[in-house]
Amino acid sequence: MPEDGTAAQREPEITPDQAAVDGLVDAVERIAVSRGREDLAARLAAVRARLDRSETVVCVVGEFKQGKSALINGLLGSAVCPVDDDLATMAVTTVRHGTTAGATVHRRDDGVAVAEAIPPDDLARWVTERGNPDNRLNVEQVEVRLPHPLLEQGIVLIDTPGIGGLNAAHAAATLAFLPVADALVFVTDASAELTAPELEFLAAAVDAGPLIVVALTKVDMYAAWRRILEIDERRLRDIGLGVRPYPLSAAMRSIAGQRDDQVLDRESGFPPFAAAIVGDLTERTRIASLEIGFREIRTALDQLRDPLAIERQAMERPDAAARLADDLRTVQERLSALNDAGSHWSVRLDDEFASLRARVEFAFSSQMRQVLREAQDEIERIDPGRDWNAVSQKVQQQVAGAVRAAFLETTDGAASIQALVSQLLTDEEGAWTEDGEAIVFDATSLWQDGQVFGGKLRSGVVAGFGLLAGATVGVEMLGMLGALLGTALVGPALLGAALFFGGREVAGERRRQLTDRRQQARTFIGQFVEDVRFEVDGRLASLGGTLQRDMRARFTRRIGELSRTYQETAQAIERSMAQDAADRDRRMLEIQAELAPLDELGLQAAALQAAATRAA
């Protein structure tokens, strides 16, 4: 390991060449179009779009004033996020690629979601505590778009509020987001070694699954940064995180950019840090996208090949052709019946989602009632004028945990429903067999397994719900939790408990004033919990409905594809039965010529998929 703390250069992974993958998709799509299978061509177009638009979501977290925003600015070489000694980020900021610079504020106006375009240089007014104290503008998140080479490679940077101090609930909110993030950059400065709360957060983040990178910032300000680096590395090993922090100086990076000084730029530590972010993380995301893409490609190839192979089988065994055609018709009719709204799988899907919604709502309501009950009991034992800060932090953390559990139970429950319905269809439809040859309705291919990073299964919401991006849901949840938890209870604490809960005590009225303060505290906590329940119930209902509609559409689309495949196969067999020997011989040669390129493409897909699997 180099002495300056940068990571050693890794050997490059051998992954499929992008041109080879693009060529494979194009070739299969051309065959689909030539065979009149626009449905399969659309599937392949979606594969290409997914590979072209793969995004690597990087969540930047850390305590207040550790240099998170400055780190993002250093990565991009421009002052994107507001940075100053007296500025603290209080809203989630998403930075992604755009052809032109722009920004959009997502906030709530009287409970209604509002998206408002703003100039990028006006961010401080919306995302900082000074510009938007106590989040009085109800900002949930801000999205910034920049035409930058790093972002153009698919990197999406998420700048989060601090996870320590009075906003401890943001730690729970961030942990809720991590299952749909590809990487976590944890920022700590060189003034002191990692604290117990920081290590506790990192230990929890390890279990969430993303790749973790640690950045040691402000090394230009502290002469003993190398000693801090060594201590941090040992403490990270103790919690099972074998990474060496990257020592960084955003100030040196900025000066180097102004002077075009390459030597100073290297001393800032940002070049190897940026290389790790772009190289390792984007490659991991690309491999995950390839795994999904190859499954789609193989499915399309199977549907293009099966009719030809079964037709050839019928021509080789004319005595069994009639029965084969009849059985194919039967399978096709059963598949067509599956499109009926009253079909077993459709009813089961609706029932399972209804059960999931009821289960999640009951569990969330029970947890929120427990939070409220415990908070009110604690208020009766304390004086809110002195102990409000501790009560507010505890309530925020408990509420954030309940929200996190509700969202993850919804997404993971949806993934389980998808697996259940897929297996139900497979069990019901079974397979037609004749002397070892089979016609199989393989609905299991509909259930795409979750993307795996570091041996950990990511949240079910990323497992392949094509119309719903898991990262989008995660960012929305992170912003919502930040808006709800980061101000409703913290704001009064920042104002001062005595000011919020009453003024000076008069000796003869202490008991009455204490009773009043407790009543005010109970009322405030009760209203806060009710506001969270109302907001989260709405978000969960929207998420569940979207997942249900998307899942139904995907199953219906797959059933339609298979129905058409078997219908065309049956028609081809019936034509073959009416042909004389010469026509059958000619058709056999045509089938061989059509199968050859499909078999070759199948071998290419298998080889490319194996390379992606080895790299993963």
Side-chain angles (χ1 to χ4, degrees), residues 294-491:
F294 283 129
R295 284 196 290 270
E296 295 285 278
I297 293 169
R298 296 300 292 270
T299 296
L301 279 171
D302 287 345
Q303 291 199 66
L304 291 169
R305 190 185 186 282
D306 285 353
L308 296 170
I310 295 173
E311 183 182 357
R312 180 178 62 183
Q313 175 194 348
M315 297 180 73
E316 290 172 344
R317 297 192 51 192
D319 57 316
R323 179 182 173 185
L324 180 59
D326 287 343
D327 284 329
L328 277 168
R329 289 288 187 189
T330 300
V331 172
Q332 191 273 327
E333 289 171 3
R334 290 205 301 264
L335 287 170
S336 296
L338 291 176
N339 280 321
D340 186 79
S343 60
H344 188 190
W345 76 268
S346 179
V347 173
R348 185 65 179 272
L349 185 145
D350 290 341
D351 289 346
E352 290 294 330
F353 266 100
S355 176
L356 175 63
R357 280 193 293 270
R359 189 167 63 249
V360 172
E361 289 173 4
F362 179 79
F364 179 65
S365 294
S366 297
Q367 285 183 280
M368 295 297 283
R369 283 197 298 269
Q370 180 69 17
V371 169
L372 180 59
R373 184 163 51 249
E374 291 179 359
Q376 291 179 336
D377 288 345
E378 186 166 359
I379 287 170
E380 291 304 310
R381 296 191 296 269
I382 65 169
D383 181 352
R386 294 192 305 266
D387 303 316
W388 174 250
N389 289 3
V391 173
S392 68
Q393 287 188 47
K394 183 177 179 181
V395 170
Q396 287 180 94
Q397 290 172 321
Q398 290 175 331
V399 168
V403 175
R404 174 178 185 261
F407 269 84
L408 293 182
E409 185 177 359
T410 298
T411 57
D412 291 342
S416 298
I417 292 172
Q418 185 168 243
L420 185 150
V421 173
S422 179
Q423 189 60 51
L424 175 67
L425 286 168
T426 302
D427 292 344
E428 283 189 347
E429 295 309 309
W432 175 88
T433 59
E434 170 69 17
D435 292 347
E437 296 292 337
I439 303 169
V440 181
F441 173 46
D442 185 15
T444 55
S445 62
L446 276 169
W447 180 34
Q448 299 174 347
D449 295 334
Q451 301 172 14
V452 176
F453 285 81
K456 292 179 169 53
L457 184 65
R458 301 179 70 192
S459 170
V461 78
V462 191
F465 298 115
L467 299 181
L468 184 64
T472 300
V473 175
V475 171
E476 179 184 352
M477 181 175 63
L478 186 61
M480 179 197 68
L481 285 171
L484 286 175
L485 305 177
T487 60
L489 289 177
V490 170

